mmCIF file with all atom_site columns, all heavy atoms in Angstrom:
data_model
loop_
_atom_site.group_PDB
_atom_site.id
_atom_site.type_symbol
_atom_site.label_atom_id
_atom_site.label_alt_id
_atom_site.label_comp_id
_atom_site.label_asym_id
_atom_site.label_entity_id
_atom_site.label_seq_id
_atom_site.pdbx_PDB_ins_code
_atom_site.Cartn_x
_atom_site.Cartn_y
_atom_site.Cartn_z
_atom_site.occupancy
_atom_site.B_iso_or_equiv
_atom_site.pdbx_formal_charge
_atom_site.auth_seq_id
_atom_site.auth_comp_id
_atom_site.auth_asym_id
_atom_site.auth_atom_id
_atom_site.pdbx_PDB_model_num
ATOM 1  N N   . ARG A 1 208 ? -31.769 -12.959 75.290 1.00 96.00 ? 212 ARG A N   1
ATOM 2  C CA  . ARG A 1 208 ? -32.029 -11.737 74.516 1.00 96.00 ? 212 ARG A CA  1
ATOM 3  C C   . ARG A 1 208 ? -33.374 -11.813 73.804 1.00 96.00 ? 212 ARG A C   1
ATOM 4  O O   . ARG A 1 208 ? -34.125 -10.833 73.749 1.00 96.00 ? 212 ARG A O   1
ATOM 5  C CB  . ARG A 1 208 ? -30.918 -11.521 73.493 1.00 96.00 ? 212 ARG A CB  1
ATOM 6  C CG  . ARG A 1 208 ? -31.006 -10.174 72.801 1.00 96.00 ? 212 ARG A CG  1
ATOM 7  C CD  . ARG A 1 208 ? -30.194 -10.092 71.523 1.00 96.00 ? 212 ARG A CD  1
ATOM 8  N NE  . ARG A 1 208 ? -30.221 -8.755  70.989 1.00 96.00 ? 212 ARG A NE  1
ATOM 9  C CZ  . ARG A 1 208 ? -31.272 -8.208  70.361 1.00 96.00 ? 212 ARG A CZ  1
ATOM 10 N NH1 . ARG A 1 208 ? -32.397 -8.906  70.215 1.00 96.00 ? 212 ARG A NH1 1
ATOM 11 N NH2 . ARG A 1 208 ? -31.218 -6.966  69.906 1.00 96.00 ? 212 ARG A NH2 1
ATOM 12 N N   . ALA A 1 209 ? -33.689 -12.973 73.252 1.00 96.00 ? 213 ALA A N   1
ATOM 13 C CA  . ALA A 1 209 ? -34.955 -13.138 72.538 1.00 96.00 ? 213 ALA A CA  1
ATOM 14 C C   . ALA A 1 209 ? -36.135 -12.921 73.481 1.00 96.00 ? 213 ALA A C   1
ATOM 15 O O   . ALA A 1 209 ? -37.137 -12.301 73.103 1.00 96.00 ? 213 ALA A O   1
ATOM 16 C CB  . ALA A 1 209 ? -35.021 -14.518 71.897 1.00 96.00 ? 213 ALA A CB  1
ATOM 17 N N   . CYS A 1 210 ? -36.028 -13.414 74.710 1.00 96.00 ? 214 CYS A N   1
ATOM 18 C CA  . CYS A 1 210 ? -37.111 -13.222 75.683 1.00 96.00 ? 214 CYS A CA  1
ATOM 19 C C   . CYS A 1 210 ? -37.247 -11.746 76.056 1.00 96.00 ? 214 CYS A C   1
ATOM 20 O O   . CYS A 1 210 ? -38.368 -11.235 76.220 1.00 96.00 ? 214 CYS A O   1
ATOM 21 C CB  . CYS A 1 210 ? -36.849 -14.054 76.927 1.00 96.00 ? 214 CYS A CB  1
ATOM 22 S SG  . CYS A 1 210 ? -36.989 -15.840 76.668 1.00 96.00 ? 214 CYS A SG  1
ATOM 23 N N   . LEU A 1 211 ? -36.128 -11.045 76.187 1.00 96.00 ? 215 LEU A N   1
ATOM 24 C CA  . LEU A 1 211 ? -36.187 -9.624  76.504 1.00 96.00 ? 215 LEU A CA  1
ATOM 25 C C   . LEU A 1 211 ? -36.759 -8.823  75.345 1.00 96.00 ? 215 LEU A C   1
ATOM 26 O O   . LEU A 1 211 ? -37.500 -7.846  75.551 1.00 96.00 ? 215 LEU A O   1
ATOM 27 C CB  . LEU A 1 211 ? -34.785 -9.109  76.853 1.00 96.00 ? 215 LEU A CB  1
ATOM 28 C CG  . LEU A 1 211 ? -34.225 -9.532  78.206 1.00 96.00 ? 215 LEU A CG  1
ATOM 29 C CD1 . LEU A 1 211 ? -32.749 -9.173  78.318 1.00 96.00 ? 215 LEU A CD1 1
ATOM 30 C CD2 . LEU A 1 211 ? -35.011 -8.864  79.342 1.00 96.00 ? 215 LEU A CD2 1
ATOM 31 N N   . ALA A 1 212 ? -36.417 -9.222  74.130 1.00 95.00 ? 216 ALA A N   1
ATOM 32 C CA  . ALA A 1 212 ? -36.919 -8.497  72.953 1.00 95.00 ? 216 ALA A CA  1
ATOM 33 C C   . ALA A 1 212 ? -38.440 -8.537  72.881 1.00 95.00 ? 216 ALA A C   1
ATOM 34 O O   . ALA A 1 212 ? -39.068 -7.611  72.356 1.00 95.00 ? 216 ALA A O   1
ATOM 35 C CB  . ALA A 1 212 ? -36.304 -9.077  71.681 1.00 95.00 ? 216 ALA A CB  1
ATOM 36 N N   . GLU A 1 213 ? -39.048 -9.597  73.403 1.00 94.00 ? 217 GLU A N   1
ATOM 37 C CA  . GLU A 1 213 ? -40.507 -9.706  73.395 1.00 94.00 ? 217 GLU A CA  1
ATOM 38 C C   . GLU A 1 213 ? -41.160 -8.675  74.309 1.00 94.00 ? 217 GLU A C   1
ATOM 39 O O   . GLU A 1 213 ? -42.358 -8.401  74.181 1.00 94.00 ? 217 GLU A O   1
ATOM 40 C CB  . GLU A 1 213 ? -40.930 -11.108 73.827 1.00 94.00 ? 217 GLU A CB  1
ATOM 41 C CG  . GLU A 1 213 ? -40.524 -12.206 72.851 1.00 94.00 ? 217 GLU A CG  1
ATOM 42 C CD  . GLU A 1 213 ? -40.925 -13.585 73.350 1.00 94.00 ? 217 GLU A CD  1
ATOM 43 O OE1 . GLU A 1 213 ? -41.454 -13.666 74.491 1.00 94.00 ? 217 GLU A OE1 1
ATOM 44 O OE2 . GLU A 1 213 ? -40.709 -14.565 72.619 1.00 94.00 ? 217 GLU A OE2 1
ATOM 45 N N   . LEU A 1 214 ? -40.389 -8.111  75.235 1.00 93.00 ? 218 LEU A N   1
ATOM 46 C CA  . LEU A 1 214 ? -40.929 -7.133  76.168 1.00 93.00 ? 218 LEU A CA  1
ATOM 47 C C   . LEU A 1 214 ? -40.857 -5.706  75.651 1.00 93.00 ? 218 LEU A C   1
ATOM 48 O O   . LEU A 1 214 ? -41.358 -4.785  76.299 1.00 93.00 ? 218 LEU A O   1
ATOM 49 C CB  . LEU A 1 214 ? -40.169 -7.220  77.498 1.00 93.00 ? 218 LEU A CB  1
ATOM 50 C CG  . LEU A 1 214 ? -40.325 -8.531  78.268 1.00 93.00 ? 218 LEU A CG  1
ATOM 51 C CD1 . LEU A 1 214 ? -39.355 -8.581  79.429 1.00 93.00 ? 218 LEU A CD1 1
ATOM 52 C CD2 . LEU A 1 214 ? -41.742 -8.689  78.766 1.00 93.00 ? 218 LEU A CD2 1
ATOM 53 N N   . VAL A 1 215 ? -40.207 -5.504  74.522 1.00 90.00 ? 219 VAL A N   1
ATOM 54 C CA  . VAL A 1 215 ? -40.091 -4.161  73.959 1.00 90.00 ? 219 VAL A CA  1
ATOM 55 C C   . VAL A 1 215 ? -41.448 -3.741  73.409 1.00 90.00 ? 219 VAL A C   1
ATOM 56 O O   . VAL A 1 215 ? -42.007 -4.395  72.532 1.00 90.00 ? 219 VAL A O   1
ATOM 57 C CB  . VAL A 1 215 ? -39.023 -4.107  72.852 1.00 90.00 ? 219 VAL A CB  1
ATOM 58 C CG1 . VAL A 1 215 ? -38.964 -2.714  72.241 1.00 90.00 ? 219 VAL A CG1 1
ATOM 59 C CG2 . VAL A 1 215 ? -37.664 -4.501  73.414 1.00 90.00 ? 219 VAL A CG2 1
ATOM 60 N N   . GLU A 1 216 ? -41.980 -2.658  73.935 1.00 79.00 ? 220 GLU A N   1
ATOM 61 C CA  . GLU A 1 216 ? -43.286 -2.172  73.507 1.00 79.00 ? 220 GLU A CA  1
ATOM 62 C C   . GLU A 1 216 ? -43.128 -1.310  72.260 1.00 79.00 ? 220 GLU A C   1
ATOM 63 O O   . GLU A 1 216 ? -42.227 -0.476  72.190 1.00 79.00 ? 220 GLU A O   1
ATOM 64 C CB  . GLU A 1 216 ? -43.941 -1.340  74.619 1.00 79.00 ? 220 GLU A CB  1
ATOM 65 C CG  . GLU A 1 216 ? -44.209 -2.118  75.891 1.00 79.00 ? 220 GLU A CG  1
ATOM 66 C CD  . GLU A 1 216 ? -45.448 -2.993  75.764 1.00 79.00 ? 220 GLU A CD  1
ATOM 67 O OE1 . GLU A 1 216 ? -46.027 -3.014  74.672 1.00 79.00 ? 220 GLU A OE1 1
ATOM 68 O OE2 . GLU A 1 216 ? -45.804 -3.645  76.760 1.00 79.00 ? 220 GLU A OE2 1
ATOM 69 N N   . PRO A 1 217 ? -44.023 -1.448  71.278 1.00 74.00 ? 221 PRO A N   1
ATOM 70 C CA  . PRO A 1 217 ? -43.961 -0.562  70.112 1.00 74.00 ? 221 PRO A CA  1
ATOM 71 C C   . PRO A 1 217 ? -44.303 0.859   70.506 1.00 74.00 ? 221 PRO A C   1
ATOM 72 O O   . PRO A 1 217 ? -45.083 1.093   71.435 1.00 74.00 ? 221 PRO A O   1
ATOM 73 C CB  . PRO A 1 217 ? -45.033 -1.149  69.172 1.00 74.00 ? 221 PRO A CB  1
ATOM 74 C CG  . PRO A 1 217 ? -45.977 -1.857  70.079 1.00 74.00 ? 221 PRO A CG  1
ATOM 75 C CD  . PRO A 1 217 ? -45.129 -2.404  71.208 1.00 74.00 ? 221 PRO A CD  1
ATOM 76 N N   . GLU A 1 218 ? -43.714 1.813   69.806 1.00 60.00 ? 222 GLU A N   1
ATOM 77 C CA  . GLU A 1 218 ? -43.997 3.215   70.098 1.00 60.00 ? 222 GLU A CA  1
ATOM 78 C C   . GLU A 1 218 ? -45.419 3.542   69.669 1.00 60.00 ? 222 GLU A C   1
ATOM 79 O O   . GLU A 1 218 ? -45.826 3.293   68.542 1.00 60.00 ? 222 GLU A O   1
ATOM 80 C CB  . GLU A 1 218 ? -43.000 4.125   69.373 1.00 60.00 ? 222 GLU A CB  1
ATOM 81 C CG  . GLU A 1 218 ? -41.569 3.964   69.863 1.00 60.00 ? 222 GLU A CG  1
ATOM 82 C CD  . GLU A 1 218 ? -40.628 4.940   69.197 1.00 60.00 ? 222 GLU A CD  1
ATOM 83 O OE1 . GLU A 1 218 ? -41.134 5.738   68.382 1.00 60.00 ? 222 GLU A OE1 1
ATOM 84 O OE2 . GLU A 1 218 ? -39.428 4.903   69.478 1.00 60.00 ? 222 GLU A OE2 1
ATOM 85 N N   . GLU A 1 219 ? -46.172 4.133   70.575 1.00 47.00 ? 223 GLU A N   1
ATOM 86 C CA  . GLU A 1 219 ? -47.553 4.479   70.301 1.00 47.00 ? 223 GLU A CA  1
ATOM 87 C C   . GLU A 1 219 ? -47.826 5.898   70.768 1.00 47.00 ? 223 GLU A C   1
ATOM 88 O O   . GLU A 1 219 ? -47.143 6.417   71.654 1.00 47.00 ? 223 GLU A O   1
ATOM 89 C CB  . GLU A 1 219 ? -48.502 3.502   71.013 1.00 47.00 ? 223 GLU A CB  1
ATOM 90 C CG  . GLU A 1 219 ? -48.360 2.065   70.543 1.00 47.00 ? 223 GLU A CG  1
ATOM 91 C CD  . GLU A 1 219 ? -49.280 1.122   71.312 1.00 47.00 ? 223 GLU A CD  1
ATOM 92 O OE1 . GLU A 1 219 ? -49.885 1.595   72.295 1.00 47.00 ? 223 GLU A OE1 1
ATOM 93 O OE2 . GLU A 1 219 ? -49.396 -0.046  70.919 1.00 47.00 ? 223 GLU A OE2 1
#
Side-chain angles (χ1 to χ4, degrees):
R212 189 197 185 285
C214 291
L215 287 170
E217 294 178 356
L218 295 171
V219 178
E220 298 282 3
E222 295 184 1
E223 297 178 352

